[in-house]
């Protein structure tokens, strides 16, 4: 059984650019959630995908969007990057939507916006 | 508005001592309360979790105490070890599948 993996590990972008982050869920997990973790803070929920449909969204603007693929891997896309978007982006996979209690996190992608 | 308030921000404990981290919440719709452990450069790892119908849950050296009426829950780490040095996050899940995390506690266990 493989764990949750994310790519890339680190990324540097310029303000106004667009970025795509990728996540491969733990084997058998069909639900993925994305979080933004600013330095020294707890993770903040961006959104969740279950069976390729958005299944809940936190307080993030529409320029944060996502996709989940049939193999349950997923992407987080951020348009028009702002300096405040600099953070660690975490994805977490879980088994079965609706009651996604036990979430397993990947190591994260560190995004720096200059 | 911080949905889950966590304290202390940092904690230093002697090896063999008890580490206690506290969290409080306001939203009575929360129905699942996990604790996560995060090491530098890693994602959070689920440590232990509790449902509101139980007042205490113990797994090895880790215990969650839950006070539903006070809307508070805490993590107790017994016989703390240097390997426990990490950042700990409490969290709460609402019925909308959204987790709310505390701001984290940096634990240092001194040998």
């Amino acid at each position: 059984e493989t764990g949750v993996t994310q790519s890339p590990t680190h990324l540097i972008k310029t303000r106004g650019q667009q970025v795509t982050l990728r996540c491969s869920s733990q084997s058998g997990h069909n639900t993925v959630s994305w979080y933004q973790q600013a330095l020294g803070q707890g993770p903040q929920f961006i959104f969740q995908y279950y069976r390729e449909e958005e299944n809940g969204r936190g307080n993030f603007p529409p320029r944060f969007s996502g996709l989940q693929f049939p193999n349950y891997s997923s992407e987080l896309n951020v348009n028009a990057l702002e300096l405040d978007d600099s953070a660690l982006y975490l994805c977490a996979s879980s088994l079965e939507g609706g009651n996604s209690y036990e979430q397993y996190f990947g190591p994260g992608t560190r995004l720096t916006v200059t | 508005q911080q949905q889950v308030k966590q304290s202390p921000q940092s904690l230093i404990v002697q090896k063999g001592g008890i580490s206690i981290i506290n969290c409080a919440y306001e939203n009575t719709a929360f129905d699942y309360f996990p604790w996560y452990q995060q090491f530098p450069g890693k994602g959070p790892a689920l440590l232990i979790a509790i449902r509101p119908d139980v007042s205490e849950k113990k797994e090895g050296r880790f215990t969650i105490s839950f006070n539903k009426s006070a809307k508070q829950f805490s993590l107790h780490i017994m016989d703390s070890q240097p390997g426990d040095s990490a950042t700990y996050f409490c969290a709460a899940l609402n019925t909308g599948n959204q987790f709310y995390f505390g701001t984290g506690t940096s634990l240092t266990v001194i040998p």
Side-chain angles (χ1 to χ4, degrees):
Chain A
E1 180 179 276
T2 58
V4 179
T5 59
Q6 292 186 243
S7 63
T9 305
H10 297 90
L11 200 55
I12 300 175
K13 288 287 189 178
T14 302
R15 188 172 53 184
Q17 286 187 317
Q18 177 266 344
V19 68
T20 298
L21 310 181
R22 295 178 174 82
C23 172
S24 178
S25 298
Q26 186 160 317
S27 178
H29 286 187
N30 57 16
T31 301
V32 65
S33 301
W34 283 91
Y35 294 84
Q36 180 193 68
Q37 185 176 20
L39 202 59
Q41 298 296 316
Q44 289 201 22
F45 177 74
I46 302 175
F47 45 57
Q48 182 186 86
Y49 277 80
Y50 169 58
R51 292 185 176 177
E52 303 174 55
E53 296 287 334
E54 188 175 290
N55 187 42
R57 188 180 183 92
N59 189 27
F60 280 82
R63 59 188 185 85
F64 286 79
S65 63
L67 281 173
Q68 187 183 31
F69 300 101
N71 66 353
Y72 302 134
S73 66
S74 69
E75 290 181 352
L76 165 65
N77 297 289
V78 186
N79 292 322
L81 283 167
E82 301 176 0
L83 297 179
D84 285 348
D85 295 334
S86 295
L88 180 69
Y89 288 85
L90 297 160
C91 73
S93 72
S94 53
L95 181 61
E96 298 181 6
N99 290 302
S100 308
Y101 292 110
E102 293 192 5
Q103 296 196 344
Y104 296 87
F105 283 85
T109 293
R110 173 72 62 186
L111 173 65
T112 302
V113 182
T114 61
Chain B
Q1 182 183 5
Q2 191 70 30
Q3 294 267 355
V4 179
K5 296 181 180 179
Q6 183 172 346
S7 63
Q9 185 175 359
S10 62
L11 183 61
I12 300 174
V13 173
Q14 293 280 353
K15 178 183 175 181
I18 302 174
S19 304
I20 302 175
I21 305 171
N22 301 298
C23 283
Y25 64 97
E26 287 297 324
N27 189 344
T28 56
F30 291 144
D31 65 354
Y32 176 72
F33 302 87
W35 284 90
Y36 286 86
Q37 179 189 57
Q38 186 175 25
F39 292 104
K42 303 287 187 181
L46 179 63
L47 200 57
I48 187 173
I50 198 167
R51 301 282 178 92
D53 55 345
V54 177
S55 62
E56 185 175 281
K57 183 175 181 180
K58 183 176 181 179
E59 290 184 1
R61 296 185 294 108
F62 301 93
T63 300
I64 298 179
S65 296
F66 188 85
N67 186 329
K68 188 174 181 178
S69 61
K71 291 186 283 187
Q72 296 175 348
F73 59 110
S74 60
L75 175 69
H76 295 234
I77 305 175
M78 312 300 287
D79 186 27
S80 298
Q81 299 297 313
D84 296 331
S85 297
T87 299
Y88 292 81
F89 293 96
C90 62
L93 175 66
N94 67 7
T95 52
N97 299 323
Q98 181 169 345
F99 276 93
Y100 292 88
F101 282 78
T103 51
T105 296
S106 176
L107 172 66
T108 301
V109 181
I110 300 172

